[in-house]
Amino acid sequence: HANVVALRQAFVHQRAVFLVHDYWPGAQSLLDYVTSRGAGNLLPENILWSIATQLFTALRTVHDQKISFRGGVSLQRVLLTGRNRVRLSSPGLMHILEPGRERTPEEDHMREDVAAVARILLVLCCMSAQALRNPKDSMDFVATRYSKDLTALVAAPFQRPCTVYDVLTLCSRGLLTEMDELYSHSDALEEHLSKQLETNRMNRILVKLNLVNERPEYGKSEAASWAETGDRYILKLFRDYVFHQTDDNGQPWLDIGHIMTSLNKLDIGSMEKILLTSRDGRSILVVTFADVRKCLEEAFQELVAGHRSTQYYQSKRVHSGQPARPGLHHGGPLTPGRHAHSGMMHQHQHQHHHHHAGMAMNSSVPFPSSQIAAAGANMYGGGGNPYPPDGHSFHPQPY
């Protein structure tokens, strides 16, 4: 149950019994909370209803298994683990510390659990650990400060032995309010998750673009820059189209909406056409976002193939028990570059860009694995292996 600290393991070592429970960092007991808050600082009624429903529904789950806490419910053993979140701790502890209580019927222990929760609620209503010294006066104080429904809920176990279902019938007001709050909380979490998903998609696109753009040249000819030939040149122009827009006076034009819209269309592979121009205006390309996305994927896969040929990647495969990939040698060259996509309008007048039409890149320089290893972990889903599985490429999916 969400409001019971889970018991994960129990074992005996050197004639001692060990119980392993979930650890909640920063948690404090309700006794410490009441002591630190002070008697004059009463809790709002909606928070008291929330705590009551959490504790009683936790008891319901435990009692439905025909077991109880056997007197283990107290202010010291109820933990406040978050904002208005309480959890019953040390389940199973009293079964070990007081095995003689097994002679008492389990139903009596269950009623004692309900009475213990009522005493906790009385202390929280009065915000004083001394409230249990005179329960009658404390109940009178609760009746003057809180509603009749909450007063009846707290007073019922003091007046007669109650099962957990007896008090749950008195919790209808709190249960309905708690359900409404849970729905609102769930909607807020889902909205936050959708924003994080959007952020992760943009981060993946930006990582790939930065891995390709302005990458140092490593070809046979020092005049041939890998990042500015073939598909990579289209990505360079697209980078300028997204991030380096200027107005008619040549001043920077900072439009976050344009940036986010362009990256989203790139991620889904939109068929919308855009005009890409070089900074000197001599090169003009008419492409779609789908074309740019294909260029990005092919350029990125080229980097991945080169990375897999490095000694570092091969050694990781050997250490993980996977055989080295055939056809790849330590420090080997990158795979040949790909040609530009057909169907694009291309007016290209740079002499050193003429390689764009059909030059195949070949390199004898080992690929610098350190530049991609860190980014790969997130792009391939995290975990211990920062590289994509063999035979698989990573393709962004539309949101």
Side-chain angles (χ1 to χ4, degrees), residues 30 33-34 37-52 55-56 75 117-132 135 137-155 158:
L30 284 184
Y33 175 74
V34 170
R37 187 177 177 92
N41 197 0
L42 299 180
L43 289 174
E45 183 167 338
N46 63 320
I47 295 180
L48 292 171
W49 276 114
S50 177
I51 294 175
L55 294 179
F56 283 130
L75 285 169
V117 172
R119 290 193 290 269
I120 291 174
L121 293 176
L122 181 60
V123 170
L124 292 177
C125 289
C126 299
M127 199 47 63
S128 173
Q130 309 302 321
L132 297 178
D137 291 343
S138 299
M139 288 303 308
D140 292 340
F141 174 81
V142 173
T144 60
R145 296 300 180 97
Y146 297 104
S147 65
K148 293 182 179 180
D149 293 338
L150 183 60
T151 303
L153 173 65
V154 177
F158 286 94

Side-chain angles (χ1 to χ4, degrees), residues 3-5 28-32 55 69-80 86-94 97-98 101 120:
N3 296 106
V4 177
V5 178
Q28 65 176 151
S29 68
L30 284 184
L31 180 60
D32 294 337
L55 294 179
F69 283 87
R70 295 191 180 182
V73 180
S74 64
L75 285 169
Q76 295 91 333
R77 293 199 176 96
V78 178
L79 299 182
L80 183 66
V86 293
R87 288 176 169 84
L88 294 170
S89 68
S90 306
L93 180 62
M94 302 306 296
L97 296 181
E98 300 182 7
R101 300 185 65 167
I120 291 174

Side-chain angles (χ1 to χ4, degrees), residues 183-202:
Y183 281 135
S184 300
H185 184 63
S186 177
D187 291 341
L189 288 178
E190 186 174 349
E191 181 181 359
H192 181 70
L193 180 61
S194 66
K195 293 179 180 178
Q196 290 298 316
L197 176 63
E198 192 76 12
T199 302
N200 291 337
R201 290 171 58 236
M202 296 301 100

Side-chain angles (χ1 to χ4, degrees), residues 63-358:
H63 291 180
D64 283 349
Q65 304 299 320
K66 305 302 180 183
I67 57 178
S68 67
F69 283 87
R70 295 191 180 182
V73 180
S74 64
L75 285 169
Q76 295 91 333
R77 293 199 176 96
V78 178
L79 299 182
L80 183 66
T81 60
R83 184 180 181 183
N84 304 333
R85 288 302 305 274
V86 293
R87 288 176 169 84
L88 294 170
S89 68
S90 306
L93 180 62
M94 302 306 296
H95 295 70
I96 297 175
L97 296 181
E98 300 182 7
R101 300 185 65 167
E102 293 181 358
R103 291 187 290 269
T104 304
E106 197 68 22
E107 290 76 10
D108 292 345
H109 290 308
M110 294 180 183
R111 294 187 181 93
E112 173 59 25
D113 290 344
V114 175
V117 172
R119 290 193 290 269
I120 291 174
L121 293 176
L122 181 60
V123 170
L124 292 177
C125 289
C126 299
M127 199 47 63
S128 173
Q130 309 302 321
L132 297 178
R133 291 187 176 183
N134 193 337
K136 185 178 183 303
D137 291 343
S138 299
M139 288 303 308
D140 292 340
F141 174 81
V142 173
T144 60
R145 296 300 180 97
Y146 297 104
S147 65
K148 293 182 179 180
D149 293 338
L150 183 60
T151 303
L153 173 65
V154 177
F158 286 94
Q159 297 170 352
R160 66 185 188 280
C162 296
T163 66
V164 66
Y165 285 101
D166 292 335
V167 293
L168 283 176
T169 58
L170 302 175
C171 285
S172 58
R173 175 182 172 183
L175 286 171
L176 292 175
T177 303
E178 191 73 4
M179 183 176 294
D180 293 340
E181 294 292 336
L182 288 176
Y183 281 135
S184 300
H185 184 63
S186 177
D187 291 341
L189 288 178
E190 186 174 349
E191 181 181 359
H192 181 70
L193 180 61
S194 66
K195 293 179 180 178
Q196 290 298 316
L197 176 63
E198 192 76 12
T199 302
N200 291 337
R201 290 171 58 236
M202 296 301 100
N203 179 69
R204 182 177 59 196
I205 290 292
L206 289 174
V207 167
K208 289 185 176 182
L209 282 173
N210 282 280
L211 284 172
V212 175
N213 284 326
E214 306 296 339
R215 195 165 195 86
E217 55 193 23
Y218 48 88
K220 287 184 177 180
S221 172
E222 290 298 328
S225 175
W226 178 84
E228 297 190 4
T229 58
D231 296 340
R232 284 79 59 188
Y233 183 67
I234 299 175
L235 299 177
K236 177 183 177 181
L237 299 184
F238 180 76
R239 187 268 313 273
D240 291 343
Y241 168 80
V242 175
F243 298 103
H244 299 163
Q245 293 276 350
T246 59
D247 61 11
D248 295 338
N249 299 323
Q251 297 300 317
W253 181 48
L254 306 180
D255 187 351
I256 301 300
H258 165 74
I259 295 174
M260 299 304 297
T261 301
S262 300
L263 292 177
N264 272 302
K265 291 179 180 179
L266 174 63
D267 188 46
I268 66 175
S270 171
M271 297 305 298
E272 178 183 339
K273 293 182 179 180
I274 55 176
L275 179 66
L276 304 180
T277 60
S278 62
R279 297 178 182 180
D280 57 8
R282 296 182 180 180
S283 299
I284 300 176
L285 292 173
V286 177
V287 298
T288 65
F289 286 98
D291 295 328
V292 179
R293 176 182 172 180
K294 186 175 181 180
C295 292
L296 179 60
E297 288 302 318
E298 291 183 348
F300 179 72
Q301 292 304 321
E302 190 172 336
L303 294 179
V304 172
H307 172 68
R308 285 176 172 171
S309 68
T310 62
Q311 183 175 359
Y312 175 77
Y313 177 79
Q314 293 296 322
S315 64
K316 285 196 60 82
R317 289 178 61 85
V318 172
H319 291 161
S320 63
Q322 303 180 36
R325 298 182 63 196
L328 291 178
H329 305 283
H330 295 175
L334 292 173
T335 55
R338 302 183 183 273
H339 302 304
H341 294 297
S342 60
M344 302 178 185
M345 182 186 301
H346 186 198
Q347 299 177 6
H348 207 198
Q349 298 181 12
H350 277 309
Q351 182 176 359
H352 69 278
H353 288 155
H354 286 172
H355 300 283
H356 176 254

